[in-house]
Amino acid sequence: MPERLDILQGTLDLMVLRTLAALGSLHGYGIARRIEQVSDNRILLNQGTIYVSLVRLDARGWIRSKWGVSENNRRARFYTITRAGEKQLAAETENWERLGEVMSRLQTGGECGR
Amino acid sequence: MTQWLRVAWSRLRAVASRRRLDREFDAELVTHLELLTEELRRRGLSTADARREALRKLGQPAALRDVHRDERGLPLADALGRDLRHAVRNARRSPVFTAVVSLSLAVGIGATTALFSLVDSLMLRSLPVAGADRLFQIQVVPVVAGAPRKARIAFDPQAFEAVRTRREVFSGVVGFTRLERPLVEVAGRSDPSREVEQVSVNYFRELGVTPVAGRMPDDADADIAVISARLWRTRFDGRQQAIGQMLLVDSRPYAIVGVAPPRFHGFTLDSSADIWISSRSGSPDLMMVARLTSGTSVVRARHAVESLLRDQFLERFRSFPPDQAVDTELLPAGRGLSRLRGQYGSALAALMALVTIVLLATCSNVGNLLVLRSAARGRELTVRAALGASRSRLVFQYVVESLFIAAIGCAAGVALAAWGVVAVLGLLPIAAVPDSLAFRADPRMLGFAVGISVLAAALFGLAPAWRATEVDLTGPLRSSQGTTSPRRIRRLGRGLVACQVGLSVVLLVGAGLFVQTLRNLARVDVGFPVSGLVQVQIDTRFAGSSQSPASQGASQAGGAGPVAGVFRLLRERLATLPGVTAVTGVRNPLMQRSWAVMSVSLPGLERQPDVTWDTAQVGPDFFETMGIPAIHGRVFAASDFEHTGERFVVNETFARSFYPGDDILRRAPSIVGIVRDTRLFDVRSEVRPVMYQMLAREPDRISSLQVRVDGDAAAALPAIRKAVVDVNPRLLVGIRTMQDELDRDISRERMVASTSVLFGALGLVLASIGIFGVASFAVADRTKELAIRRALGAGRWPVVRASLGETMVVFGVGLAGGALAATAVVRVAAVTISDLVFGLTATDTGYVAAALVVLVTVAAAACVVPAMRAASIDPLHGIRDG
């Protein structure tokens, strides 16, 4: 059980990072919405967990936050990716791509016999 | 790694500012909810539906906040904080309970820490010197057969230099000697009672003791001094200007070159040195400590210097019988040298064992009280469990509460320990509390105190925490009274109280053992009337001049001038004081455990290696002043002292041992009389053969005068003191009544007895608290049942009996167990600490019986209030509350 949770957590972290890298400064709701839109609402997100992910990323110094005003004139916290976060994102993306390659090879199966 | 640090730091910061972060997170969530709601409404949901859907999509804010908190902060620390606050609230709610519990813990922890501090500084701790474990004291021990005690012989500079040349076994040798009552002048002011040590100039360098100010003495130095950090602080305010100043020791100037580190007090633990001086002319009697080269065994090192030191010794003491052995000993010196260690080691070990029992009794007492309270708090526990608190959370809460109580006990205990060390040292016959033995709140001691506190918390917290794992979710909630407790706790509490009773039996028997020993010693008949006798110890080196020792100021003293006359002068002056009936003098002061062993050739008693006796060199009127009558023949007459012929008086044991069934006066004409057996040198030893010789020569070193007065000896002290001081202030070493001297001789037994009585009393108090608790609990617990019994016609007495029967059983079990344990303890003690008990026979069980009687009385007293409560139970009570 915990393994799956970990992968999911890590995946969410990566999604958040990528979103911030693509769109610059966003608040929590904006991030959640963007992820839902991009995935065509295929990801059923408990939106609150975004904030747990944000805390984790912030503690590692990969994102930074600033208080600002939202589009409906509310106090909101805006998150941006840091230099370290971009590096991490690059590394993680490479990881994912390699993992994806291996997964697809495993699934097609034919190449194993060679 | 840095990532890990960064996260830890961020979590720590989050804990510190948790209120602000909670507020900010709330604000974020509110914004999020509103944005989400708006969006949903735009998609066509009604306001109410949009709100509901938004909440569903976001998740429960309260739960989110918890997850958020756990993720950003330290979840364990949060729980700890909550439980600590809970513990503090509990403590505030029942201040009396908290006070009783933490005070008893403080006493237990404090007493244990105090004793450990003494054991540690006297026996365990290494001196703050380099390579302490390779330092050995070299001693030459002339073996006198039959002598109960070894003589300690100091070395002269020749022996010191000779040992120094044995570089193959000793990488370094230091010499030192404590000056006897030196005259010290520091910073222009005379400074009495400073301890001065004369040391070889390599002393500090060899020991690796680097001065904290000034410099290390080097071989080119002459007439220099190193002062202690304490002296530097008190007399020079710790200023650098102290270096280079002069101080005077016995009128001779020494330049201060350095300040020793604060922890360094020299080798002698029993009194801390304040000044170390070095001069070119070495001291005539040095102690020697050598550092073995690495790889050298003690045996090999001893062999290397044995014959050398034996020759040196025989050359120095030509009168020593050549047929007697002279041994060389190498004793570990890395933990310091101490006379107290030899005398008090076993005493402290015994007290350490007793204090451990006190601590155990304290723990079971606290444990019992906590169990009783947890029974009263059963409802709270049940509610918490029903609301979903996990068992581990409940146990954790108890652990935190136990640690909280232990922490209070620990803090107060350390304060008590510092005081306790001073109190115990105050019972020893030493002039002042030496720095080397004083309590130090250093990491080592604090670590010990914290360690035993945690251990204690584990012991006493175990029972209530265990209890927390067995919460019955419905019982107490259903019950109207909320105090009805499961059988298990009651059994637990009873077990703990039985333990307490048993432990206090052991403590009381221990106290009885030592008190009986003290009483036996105090009742020892020394063989002469003690009351009305005063002993004055004098140092005749100071007879001639008021400035320097007579031996050093030979020109002032002029040999046989005032020095020779001072003994007679004092005797004459003291004899004229009102109330004084007789005055005499003895070479070795009485009751100081120091005596001379000499052999003389007597007819029919040829010198044999194993035939020895004690010798007392006494002045005129000795037997009259002391009140020791002659049994046979006569004592010395005044005219005997004017003749040079050898005359002796012996004691009964001497006559019985060496001339059994013989007329000793006829066989050995130089013996003029036999006197009654007495104990002159200490209270405990068996009476040995004693030969009295006449004090023909003037005593040249510390000696003593005995003064017999009419009436109260203590009242005569001021007048006698004044008469001695009038002759010369430095002459007086000490003045005490003979009763005082006897008391000092058994001061170790008094220390052990009074400390163990204190421990016994503590055990008693703890046991009575425990019994009171169990009895009150039993009565409270069964109030309803007892009331119904009363209503059904039972008399007062059967009800009381019924309510206390259980307590009696508990008490009886504890008593029996304790008596068994105590018997075993006494058996063991008789073997291991036989030097601490005196005059007790195996069948002597009076103190055991006394201990049991005391305990039964106290237990009965502790039951009085609960019994009265049981007797006054209102029969209506059962019906009303039913």
Side-chain angles (χ1 to χ4, degrees):
Chain A
M1 276 307 239
E3 282 91 358
R4 207 179 99 205
L5 198 74
D6 267 354
I7 290 173
L8 280 178
Q9 265 185 3
T11 316
L12 184 59
D13 289 359
L14 193 60
M15 287 175 178
V16 171
L17 269 188
R18 170 142 286 170
T19 309
L20 288 178
L23 297 185
S25 178
L26 272 183
H27 48 60
Y29 173 69
I31 299 170
R33 227 183 127 214
R34 162 87 181 168
I35 290 177
E36 282 182 350
Q37 276 173 359
V38 167
S39 73
D40 275 342
N41 288 327
R42 263 181 300 180
I43 289 181
L44 274 178
L45 199 59
N46 188 345
Q47 292 190 358
T49 52
I50 288 282
Y51 292 96
V52 180
S53 177
L54 286 171
V55 165
R56 227 167 12 233
L57 294 171
D58 186 54
R60 284 164 177 73
W62 294 337
I63 59 169
R64 184 174 40 233
S65 68
K66 217 165 62 188
W67 284 95
V69 180
S70 69
E71 48 274 36
N72 62 344
N73 275 330
R74 277 282 173 186
R75 226 161 74 84
R77 191 176 228 169
F78 287 85
Y79 297 88
T80 41
I81 191 162
T82 63
R83 179 76 54 84
E86 278 165 0
K87 246 191 245 163
Q88 179 67 21
L89 181 60
E92 290 273 311
T93 309
E94 207 189 301
N95 256 349
W96 264 99
E97 277 165 6
R98 224 180 292 150
L99 191 65
E101 202 183 320
V102 173
M103 288 300 264
S104 65
R105 269 197 228 168
L106 279 175
Q107 252 127 42
T108 49
E111 282 161 84
C112 292
R114 244 192 266 168
Chain B
M1 195 61 199
T2 49
Q3 191 73 40
W4 179 86
L5 264 178
R6 187 187 202 118
V7 172
W9 171 239
S10 131
R11 279 177 180 256
L12 263 179
R13 247 183 4 200
V15 170
S17 47
R18 100 192 223 136
R19 282 225 178 125
R20 184 175 59 84
L21 291 175
D22 275 352
R23 230 174 21 240
E24 288 180 1
F25 184 56
D26 283 350
E28 270 190 286
L29 284 183
V30 167
T31 307
H32 191 125
L33 261 182
E34 286 190 355
L35 288 167
L36 190 54
T37 313
E38 236 163 80
E39 153 110 31
L40 290 167
R41 237 187 7 204
R42 268 205 306 275
R43 287 199 206 153
L45 269 71
S46 73
T47 311
D49 283 351
R51 270 213 96 79
R52 204 162 34 239
E53 178 62 12
L55 260 179
R56 196 188 60 74
K57 283 196 81 160
L58 182 67
Q60 273 298 322
L64 276 179
R65 197 182 302 136
D66 277 353
V67 177
H68 195 254
R69 231 184 236 165
D70 284 356
E71 187 61 45
R72 71 169 188 236
L74 300 167
L76 198 68
D78 278 351
L80 190 73
R82 260 197 310 277
D83 286 343
L84 257 183
R85 277 193 297 279
H86 186 79
V88 173
R89 252 199 322 275
N90 268 337
R92 279 237 204 84
R93 210 181 298 149
S94 41
V96 177
F97 175 87
T98 311
V100 167
V101 165
S102 43
L103 193 73
S104 64
L105 260 185
V107 170
I109 292 171
T112 313
T113 308
L115 267 168
F116 178 72
S117 166
L118 283 170
V119 169
D120 186 47
S121 50
L122 204 56
M123 298 192 271
L124 304 178
R125 189 159 36 197
S126 287
L127 293 180
V129 299
D133 55 330
R134 300 205 64 76
L135 292 176
F136 288 83
Q137 185 189 16
I138 303 178
Q139 272 196 329
V140 164
V141 185
V143 181
V144 180
R149 199 170 291 264
K150 288 179 192 166
R152 303 250 178 264
I153 307 297
F155 296 100
D156 57 7
Q158 285 79 20
F160 178 64
E161 290 304 328
V163 171
R164 279 181 89 166
T165 59
R166 310 312 294 261
R167 295 223 154 257
E168 73 280 10
V169 287
F170 299 129
S171 64
V173 184
V174 297
F176 53 94
T177 185
R178 201 51 80 88
L179 300 190
E180 269 176 55
R181 306 191 309 124
L183 274 184
V184 179
E185 213 175 298
V186 181
R189 263 194 296 145
S190 96
D191 207 341
S193 74
R194 288 286 178 197
E195 292 284 333
V196 180
E197 204 151 72
Q198 183 161 6
V199 299
S200 55
V201 79
N202 66 342
Y203 183 83
F204 287 94
R205 191 161 25 83
E206 185 52 49
L207 296 179
V209 175
T210 312
V212 291
R215 63 173 176 86
M216 186 88 90
D218 58 52
D219 287 345
D221 280 327
D223 296 337
I224 50 109
V226 172
I227 58 175
S228 71
R230 187 176 60 164
L231 184 65
W232 188 41
R233 208 173 47 242
T234 53
R235 296 302 303 271
F236 295 101
D237 298 324
R239 279 197 301 265
Q240 284 294 328
Q241 286 94 306
I243 310 300
Q245 288 204 27
M246 291 295 191
L247 54 78
L248 297 179
V249 175
D250 287 333
S251 310
R252 199 169 157 171
Y254 296 87
I256 299 173
V257 299
V259 177
R263 292 271 163 93
F264 184 77
H265 310 292
F267 276 100
T268 315
L269 298 181
D270 303 351
S271 68
S272 301
D274 268 323
I275 300 169
W276 293 267
I277 55 171
S278 281
S279 58
R280 282 271 156 81
S281 57
S283 163
D285 37 27
L286 284 171
M287 303 217 270
M288 245 195 274
V289 167
R291 184 188 297 282
L292 297 194
T293 52
S294 63
T296 304
S297 71
V298 176
V299 179
R300 178 160 161 246
R302 197 180 64 221
H303 282 318
V305 289
E306 217 164 25
S307 62
L308 181 149
L309 288 175
R310 185 187 148 82
D311 293 347
Q312 290 270 354
F313 173 82
L314 290 178
E315 193 164 316
R316 194 171 171 201
F317 300 93
R318 287 174 189 284
S319 63
F320 188 78
D323 52 341
Q324 306 266 358
V326 179
D327 281 353
T328 297
E329 285 180 351
L330 261 70
L331 305 169
R335 291 180 184 147
L337 309 174
S338 168
R339 199 182 289 250
L340 292 176
R341 180 189 294 151
Q343 285 172 12
Y344 284 85
S346 58
L348 288 177
L351 289 178
M352 195 78 212
L354 284 185
V355 86
T356 310
I357 298 179
V358 171
L359 189 61
L360 282 179
T362 311
C363 287
S364 62
N365 183 49
V366 173
N368 177 40
L369 291 177
L370 286 179
V371 166
L372 290 185
R373 192 171 67 157
S374 85
R377 268 165 50 185
R379 200 196 270 265
E380 175 202 323
L381 265 183
T382 313
V383 169
R384 293 197 49 173
L387 287 181
S390 67
R391 277 194 178 162
S392 60
R393 277 294 293 126
L394 291 182
V395 170
F396 187 72
Q397 182 199 324
Y398 268 102
V399 170
V400 169
E401 190 166 358
S402 300
L403 285 174
F404 172 71
I405 292 170
I408 300 179
C410 180
V414 168
L416 266 180
W419 176 84
V421 167
V422 174
V424 171
L425 288 175
L427 293 170
L428 306 194
I430 46 178
V433 175
D435 288 350
S436 45
L437 299 183
F439 181 79
R440 286 206 302 242
D442 58 6
R444 191 178 164 99
M445 274 305 123
L446 295 180
F448 176 83
V450 169
I452 60 167
S453 304
V454 170
L455 214 62
L459 276 178
F460 69 70
L462 210 61
W466 180 255
R467 146 93 182 115
T469 63
E470 321 217 300
V471 180
D472 170 15
L473 278 188
T474 50
L477 285 183
R478 266 203 312 256
S479 144
S480 59
Q481 291 201 330
T483 55
T484 313
S485 57
R487 298 193 83 75
R488 276 197 85 104
I489 340 173
R490 282 178 32 199
R491 214 157 51 214
L492 205 61
R494 288 192 309 238
L496 285 171
V497 170
C499 275
Q500 260 167 265
V501 171
L503 290 173
S504 54
V505 171
V506 176
L507 286 175
L508 283 174
V509 168
L513 199 73
F514 295 127
V515 167
Q516 188 63 42
T517 293
L518 185 64
R519 282 182 47 178
N520 289 349
L521 281 172
R523 273 205 302 249
V524 164
D525 181 13
V526 292
F528 57 87
V530 172
S531 64
L533 201 55
V534 172
Q535 174 160 267
V536 187
Q537 293 188 43
I538 56 170
D539 188 344
T540 45
R541 287 182 307 155
F542 298 104
S545 124
S546 61
Q547 279 306 308
S548 64
S551 56
Q552 283 183 19
S555 58
Q556 300 155 329
V563 183
V566 74
F567 191 45
R568 178 171 302 166
L569 180 70
L570 278 175
R571 283 193 55 218
E572 283 166 10
R573 289 226 181 155
L574 292 179
T576 60
L577 291 177
V580 170
T581 56
V583 183
T584 187
V586 179
R587 169 76 171 75
N588 287 33
L590 305 180
M591 290 300 163
Q592 306 300 310
R593 303 183 177 214
S594 80
W595 57 87
V597 179
M598 287 184 193
S599 3
V600 177
S601 261
L602 288 174
L605 189 61
E606 275 64 52
R607 193 153 74 198
Q608 293 157 20
D610 54 341
V611 172
T612 61
W613 54 82
D614 298 345
T615 306
Q617 291 172 292
V618 303
D621 297 337
F622 175 78
F623 298 98
E624 292 81 352
T625 310
M626 296 295 291
I628 303 172
I631 290 172
H632 193 44
R634 63 176 180 88
V635 297
F636 297 132
S639 57
D640 289 328
F641 286 85
E642 281 148 28
H643 297 101
T644 48
E646 281 198 323
R647 288 190 187 153
F648 308 116
V649 169
V650 298
N651 69 350
E652 290 170 272
T653 303
F654 187 102
R656 206 171 40 241
S657 312
F658 302 139
Y659 296 90
D662 212 348
D663 186 355
I664 184 171
L665 300 192
R666 198 166 315 141
R667 281 292 300 280
S670 55
I671 295 176
V672 298
I674 301 172
V675 293
R676 195 161 78 192
D677 275 346
T678 56
R679 290 164 200 270
L680 293 178
F681 309 109
D682 78 337
V683 179
R684 302 186 64 137
S685 306
E686 288 297 303
V687 175
R688 281 177 36 88
V690 174
M691 170 183 278
Y692 296 92
Q693 299 181 333
M694 286 180 293
L695 193 63
R697 273 186 314 124
E698 270 295 320
D700 54 346
R701 294 297 293 263
I702 292 184
S703 185
S704 68
L705 291 152
Q706 285 70 32
V707 185
R708 172 73 65 185
V709 298
D710 237 0
D712 185 17
L717 291 180
I720 298 175
R721 172 191 297 275
K722 187 173 179 304
V724 177
V725 169
D726 278 352
V727 173
N728 182 338
R730 293 196 68 190
L731 205 51
L732 184 70
V733 175
I735 173 169
R736 287 186 203 101
T737 64
M738 193 54 80
Q739 188 60 55
D740 254 11
E741 299 278 24
L742 292 183
D743 289 346
R744 281 169 69 91
D745 189 58
I746 57 176
S747 54
R748 177 184 68 175
E749 283 73 12
R750 174 166 297 109
M751 186 273 269
V752 173
S754 42
T755 314
S756 61
V757 163
L758 180 72
F759 291 165
L762 282 176
L764 215 52
V765 169
L766 292 176
S768 59
I769 292 177
I771 290 167
F772 177 79
V774 160
S776 315
F777 192 71
V779 172
D781 198 35
R782 296 174 63 182
T783 302
K784 207 160 102 183
E785 174 207 331
L786 296 174
I788 292 171
R789 280 203 197 186
R790 289 277 284 140
L792 290 178
R796 276 174 202 277
W797 176 235
V799 165
V800 169
R801 213 165 39 196
S803 63
L804 295 183
E806 180 188 281
T807 310
M808 289 299 127
V809 171
V810 169
F811 180 69
V813 168
L815 209 59
L820 272 178
T823 321
V825 164
V826 169
R827 286 266 162 78
V828 173
V831 182
T832 51
I833 52 164
S834 56
D835 63 320
L836 283 184
V837 289
F838 178 83
L840 295 175
T841 54
T843 53
D844 193 358
T845 48
Y847 48 91
V848 179
L852 296 186
V853 167
V854 169
L855 200 54
V856 169
T857 314
V858 168
C863 284
V864 166
V865 171
M868 273 162 52
R869 215 176 286 153
S872 61
I873 284 174
D874 182 357
L876 286 177
H877 184 84
I879 302 155
R880 258 208 306 270
D881 269 14

